[in-house]
Amino acid sequence: MATGTDNPGYVSEEADTVNRVSSYDNNVHSGRRTSPIEKAKPWDIFQEDAKTSLSTSSEYEIWKTINAIVKLFTYIVFIGLILGSSVMSKLCIFYMTYHLPIHDHFILGKEQIKDNNTAHNGNNRVRFLLKQKDLIVDMKWVWSLILVMWAPYVFTAMSCTWRMITKQNKSVQVLPVIVASLVEIIHSIGLCVFVFLVLPNVDPLLGFFVTFSVAVIPAIFRIFERKEQNGNADTGNDSTQSTAMKVVKGVLNCVLAVVHITTVALWALRTYTQQDNITNAILLPVSLVLISVTWWENYVSGIKGLATIRRNIREQRVKIDLITSVIKIITTLVVPAVIFAPGGDDCAATFFLTKKNATGCSIYGTMTLEDVRDATSSCSAQLPFLVAAVCILCSAVCYGMSKACCKVRAQIPCFSVPMLFSTPVTFGLILLSYSVSNINGQFLGCSFEWVQPIPEFSDFLLQFTVDYWIPIGVFGYITLFCIVDHIWHPSDERLARTYRLFAKPLYCGILLDQSLILNRKRVKEAHIETKEKNVSRVNVPHLGDSDVFDLRDTTSMRKDDTPMIYVCATMWHESENEMIQMLRSVYRLDEDQSARRKAIKTFETDIDYYEFEAHIFFDDAFQPHKDGDVDYDVNDWVKQLLRVINVALRDEYNTPHTIPAPTRTETPYGGRLVWTLQGGNTLTVHLKDKMKIRHRKRWSQVMYLYYFLANRLMSEQIDINQKRVRADNTFLLALDGDVDFQPEALRMLVDRMRRDPNVGAACGRIHPIGSGPMVWYQKFEYAVSHWLQKATEHVIGCVLCSPGCFSLFRGSAMMDDNVMKRYTTTPTEARHYVQYDQGEDRWLCTLLLQQGYRVEYCAASDSFTYAPEGFYEFFNQRRRWTPSTMANTLDLLQDWKSVTRKNADISCLYIIYQMALMASSVITPGTIFLLIVGAINVAFPEMPLFGALILNLVPVAVFVLLCFVAKTNIQLAYAAIISIVYSLVMMLVIVGLIQQAATFGFCSTATIFLVIVTGIFFVAAILHPQELTCIIHGFLYFLALPAMSMILMIYSLGNLHVVSWGTRETKQAAPPPGQQPEKKMNALQKMWTRITGSDEGGAWDALCRCVCCSSTASKDQLDQVMKRLEKIEAAVVEQPTGPQRSDSNARQLRQRRQISLPGEVIQEQVDKNGPFDSDPYWILDPDLGEGQFKDLDGSEVTFWKELIERYLLPLEENKEQQEKIKNDLLELRNKTCLFFFLINGLFIILIFTLQMVSDYTPNLKIHLPCPDPTFQGDQFEPISITFMLVFGVLLVIQFLSMFVHRLSTFLHITSITDVRDIGKTLRKTKEKLASDKEVKGEEYVELTKDLQRYHEDELEIEETSDPFENSQKVKWARIQSRRHIRQQAEADTPTTFDERFVGNLARLAQDVEQSGDSFPNDREKTIHRYRKKSVKTLKSLNESSPHFTKSLVRKATLMAKRMKEERQQADQSVPDAPARKRAPAERVRDKHRRRQDQSKTAADTEDVELYENFKGLKGKDEIEVDSIGNAGHTEM
């Protein structure tokens, strides 16, 4: 019996409602759909799995589990490093201060003891001597502490200097600089007094306790904090607190401040009573208060004047930090000098380590300064500096790890907890050192000087407590962590910038953990909140008593800053597989967004939410026709898309359901098809008619930029401030028609946008897919360019190109001046065609950079796209890319003054880097040329060097000549041949490198350079484990260097005047199943096609046609045919007078085409001017399905007409203008080639001549010494090695930048990874983690996805111990279930995500009610089809929330009733009549045929048929009339 078929004992009205809309498990229909599951007979119960069920991007799902394991390990490393480095830093500080001078004995008790460590008075009270008087100081310990304090200041100064070099920063104002400098001077003075005067006069344990009382100023400022910001503002809780709660928190803040100040006063009091020293009693509290001043910025939100100053300081942070760092360095040097150096010149000289010793020094005049003390231990004389180095290293590690764990949203377990426990751990270790013998002070043969061991340890602890030292320290510890309670309420922001994590730069070298927790930012300034809010970006709806629960209503959820993503894909001639790949990506987004919407509304949880629309802009979507014609259909490419819409759905979800037929709309630019996807989102295909609107990718981008931003966004009836916020959170995802990606990849790009409001565009890692050697080469090429080049651009400046195949653009950035407007510029000069149209994505990024926006690269966002598999297609693609890259980079470099002024992320240093990169790119062909010459010389040593040069020059010169005079196919054929030859020659290069390595070893510059380059590539591959296999293709990349670095460059520049697209131009759409034509090819043709990737014969095919097809019509015959066709065209079609079609012109056109056709006349009265007279045939094409018709809104029609008229009218064919542009392009080609060949020629002549002359001029060579006698020392020319050094320096810069970027990427991946993903592969771990009572936001999403997915119905089986028997039972249960479905009369099952989710939710609600308001733990088999993790999550929700079951039942019941009512209304109501009546396509065609003019002669009919046949031939083979007229002419 099928699961869920029986529902015993449940017959209430609500149960009936539940059953009526329950899932397909119950096999009860849930409403009429236009597209139910595919009809099948009861006997048709067998099926096959989708062959492409896994996309390329989904194969990377295993990395989720790996990333989860890595994240868990990273958490452990974070905790260990932060805790360990914090404890070690403290111990080092107290060890160094222990060696500073003390003016009197420090004892535990009042009695002074001179000789023994312990003594007893008459009352048997124990007195402990903890530190003896010592007035001799080794200045190395003083300088070691100075270095520790200097370290963060130096790091800050270096960081600020780097940022000033690489980025633009705001100028400073006087008042903020004065305030910041004054505060830091006070802090530095207090810190030096505390370190050099307070801590040396107490024992380490007491000094350890004193360090907790350094938050006096923060405790006082908390009292004046604004009540609405009291607590942690980072939590994003905007709810108004009750008055009572405000009063209570204010009182608690006052009590906290009083207690903390009291601890400081008690420290002073106890110090005075213990030591009878008024100086120490005053210095201790004063130094603590002065130290606490530095953390004022984090606690002044309630003091208006100080808050304003703080805001100004943070706006000018970089330059102010640089100034204050220098001031603190000076202050930290001056104060110790004032303390120790007074007493004469000898004291000052000894202080600065220029003299051995001096007496009578310091402000007290009683100290003896020494440079080297007579130490009895075996420790190194540099021990103080070694301890300082360890302290600095531990502090830097602790700070770096703390910042990292806060970035990845692991603050509580990895930062707050280690900070909390570092104190007791340090306390325990110090106590341990008091209680054991000094043998524990031995380490690596060095005996560390430390406190004397205390035999009566229990008495010591008792006395420490009785004297109130421990109680005061405990109170200070507790109050400190109460003051920093915000560290337990972190923000949920991923990858927050450092200035959003910490109020002050870096840390305090002496008080590491105190500075980190007091610096951790707790509130945000208002000016940052307006730009980058950290509050929830979605309104979480809560179900009230009278609310109506509707899963599909999102109006109450979206906020102004909710991300709105327009997915904009461009299509032209994509194959079926490419279209399916892109559609599956859209379906995944639809599923993910739908699940997030339902999770928020059902479970009332706050998770990452976004809304999106999918749009495809289809270029040249119609059959060839004249402007004003209506007798045309969509072309085969569009029909191919229509066929694969549901194929992609089945491949992605393995579901029998289909998407309803699209709504059809005629638009001023062509047409529009709109599908409603299963998740409720829409997929819109914009069919562009090139007779009505400009085609190509750039103009499609202009279409959607103006449509979404200028029309839809700006026409919203909302406040201008709301529009600004919405524009900042409106994103356009630019896609190619073959891209494959996961929703997580898009979320990572959105994270980049949210992290920095100045980011105008962000791109991900593009992975080429396909098969064949050309794809293998591109895999390594793409990997290296992303690993090194894009990472470097991201780190030291901005990414220059965000690829159009997968990039996210911010709406507000595109709407800025000189971006979207300038992007509509029509090319009028030769360079415009190269820069604007050949690489539109790079030009758009150039416009963004020039306007001051940042373009970023996110390596964790993976996408996959098909790469050219053939040699011809690859060369044509790079023929576009190479000149465009050089043109845009040159444009940026020429405008460097304006760019560096406007763009804060582009500095002069970055400009210099790009100039060096451009120069190296220009001379790369010459370098490869010389490399081949050297290889030939090594392989044939008897051949003179000049002969090797000539031998290499001849094929290159021939290719250069062909690029100027031959057709493209001939050029490519020759390029393919010599590329193969050069690949063989590269094997000689390998032999030469091996020979050099064997002769010179590492005493050769070539060997060293090769090892460095290879090492960098291998290390880069290891740092990218997901792409480690790309390194395998590195050998092919090496062999292809001459072809890709020299031949391709020559081909690109030699064809600079060719502005055609070059790819996808000769492809044909796949015909419907069963109509696939077979093209017969012989073995030679097949081999050539496999090599070149083109089914055209190219030069060889043209040669064969010339030889074998002598009967071809001559040019005169072609001219006669052309004249007749022109005559026919003039007689049949009247040329339109304007670019836009009018109804009268269309009617005249139809009347002219009315010719008599034989056949039976069907009598039907049709209105002469019927409502569908002007409708084009395409909109009535049966291949488009049976969807509804819809007319555009009048305002949108006006918008499109005005936009087309303004920017997108098809370009008029002006022969004079075309001839001028052609000549200008040729002139540009000639100039560019002249410059290129001249530079490379000079470079080759220079290096080659030096090589020849150096053979008989030894002074021109430098001998490289070789310490290994088994190898010889190589010789090299200085000029030759200079160019190698340039390449090497650029490579090293890229390598170091890659390290920085990899760290950022690692943190990004860690921040979004869920540790519970481990359970996807480890079942036991899954059950354990999923059973946790805490349910995270993403778990709600996964649960919702599971409930809304299609699952094949299954029957319950009784499992046995035999696995084979169980598998057979499962198989037969599935077969029986399918037959059960087929046999039902009306098996109309839910077809959308909402219907399936509501049905399954209703089923769960039914089970809950039957189980007595608790989750049915004993009835898991009723939902055994769902993932076990989902079941466990439901149980966790039920256990953690007592109201979960009631809410679940109520929501399911409300939604079920709503869907039932909607279904009843749909059954009872009459469908609305369409706005305009439309006739079927065949009726329209019959009507036009009946209106044919009977007076037309047979000759006219023959001419018209001939013309129509010619049109069909033109549409099929894409033959231009001009090309026929110019047949036989040489292409230039």
Side-chain angles (χ1 to χ4, degrees), residues 1512-1526:
L1513 180 63
K1514 177 181 176 181
K1516 180 178 180 182
D1517 295 334
E1518 300 183 357
I1519 301 175
E1520 298 291 346
V1521 175
D1522 293 340
S1523 64
I1524 296 178
N1526 296 327

Side-chain angles (χ1 to χ4, degrees), residues 773-1072:
M774 293 307 305
V775 176
W776 301 340
Y777 167 82
Q778 291 173 85
K779 283 181 179 292
F780 187 80
E781 180 199 32
Y782 273 65
V784 171
S785 64
H786 284 85
W787 294 349
L788 300 176
Q789 185 173 342
K790 263 192 169 45
T792 303
E793 292 176 347
H794 174 92
V795 171
I796 68 175
C798 290
V799 175
L800 296 187
C801 178
S802 187
C805 61
F806 185 71
S807 292
L808 193 67
F809 295 90
R810 189 188 299 274
S812 59
M814 307 303 294
M815 298 169 70
D816 206 347
D817 295 339
N818 303 317
V819 180
M820 199 161 73
K821 171 66 175 178
R822 190 178 177 190
Y823 196 58
T824 62
T825 303
T826 302
T828 56
E829 301 178 10
R831 66 179 183 87
H832 293 169
Y833 286 91
V834 177
Q835 182 179 359
Y836 297 176
D837 292 335
Q838 298 298 287
E840 69 292 327
D841 47 4
R842 184 173 287 272
W843 184 44
L844 183 58
C845 291
T846 301
L847 296 178
L848 288 172
L849 296 175
Q850 290 174 335
Q851 195 60 23
Y853 291 96
R854 176 172 174 80
V855 180
E856 290 195 349
Y857 163 56
C858 177
S861 178
D862 295 297
S863 62
F864 302 81
T865 183
Y866 282 98
E869 298 182 354
F871 185 86
Y872 285 15
E873 187 178 10
F874 174 80
F875 259 54
N876 282 328
Q877 180 195 67
R878 300 309 168 93
R879 184 256 300 158
R880 287 189 294 111
W881 287 5
T882 303
S884 172
T885 300
M886 299 180 70
N888 281 281
T889 305
L890 190 60
D891 183 23
L892 198 68
L893 296 178
Q894 289 176 340
D895 194 32
W896 69 272
K897 290 184 179 180
S898 175
V899 173
T900 53
R901 185 178 65 254
K902 287 185 177 181
N903 199 314
D905 295 293
I906 295 182
S907 63
C908 294
L909 182 65
Y910 182 69
I911 295 295
I912 293 173
Y913 165 78
Q914 288 294 338
M915 291 176 64
L917 204 62
M918 171 72 81
S920 65
S921 300
V922 171
I923 64 172
T924 294
T927 305
I928 299 299
F929 183 89
L930 292 173
L931 181 68
I932 297 173
V933 171
I936 297 175
N937 184 253
V938 171
F940 306 100
E942 66 280 359
M943 179 183 295
L945 191 60
F946 187 81
L949 175 69
I950 298 299
L951 184 62
N952 187 33
L953 183 61
V954 171
V956 175
V958 171
F959 183 63
V960 171
L961 181 63
L962 291 176
C963 288
F964 279 84
V965 300
K967 291 184 178 181
T968 301
N969 283 347
I970 296 177
Q971 298 175 34
L972 292 173
Y974 184 82
I977 294 173
I978 61 174
S979 295
I980 296 174
V981 173
Y982 276 130
S983 298
L984 300 178
V985 174
M986 289 302 291
M987 296 300 295
L988 301 180
V989 175
I990 296 176
V991 174
L993 292 174
I994 295 174
Q995 182 189 28
Q996 274 199 326
T999 305
F1000 304 105
F1002 283 97
C1003 302
S1004 169
T1005 55
T1007 305
I1008 296 174
F1009 186 77
L1010 177 65
V1011 170
I1012 292 176
V1013 172
T1014 306
I1016 287 177
F1017 286 162
F1018 270 99
V1019 172
I1022 293 172
L1023 292 177
H1024 298 76
Q1026 291 180 251
E1027 308 164 39
L1028 186 60
T1029 56
C1030 292
I1031 198 68
I1032 301 175
H1033 308 301
F1035 182 72
L1036 178 62
Y1037 181 85
F1038 176 78
L1039 295 181
L1041 274 178
M1044 305 307 170
S1045 299
M1046 182 174 64
I1047 302 301
L1048 179 57
M1049 179 68 77
I1050 296 173
Y1051 175 75
S1052 300
L1053 297 181
N1055 290 272
L1056 191 66
H1057 62 292
V1058 180
V1059 293
S1060 63
W1061 201 248
T1063 55
R1064 305 184 190 276
E1065 291 184 339
T1066 59
K1067 290 186 176 181
Q1068 294 184 0

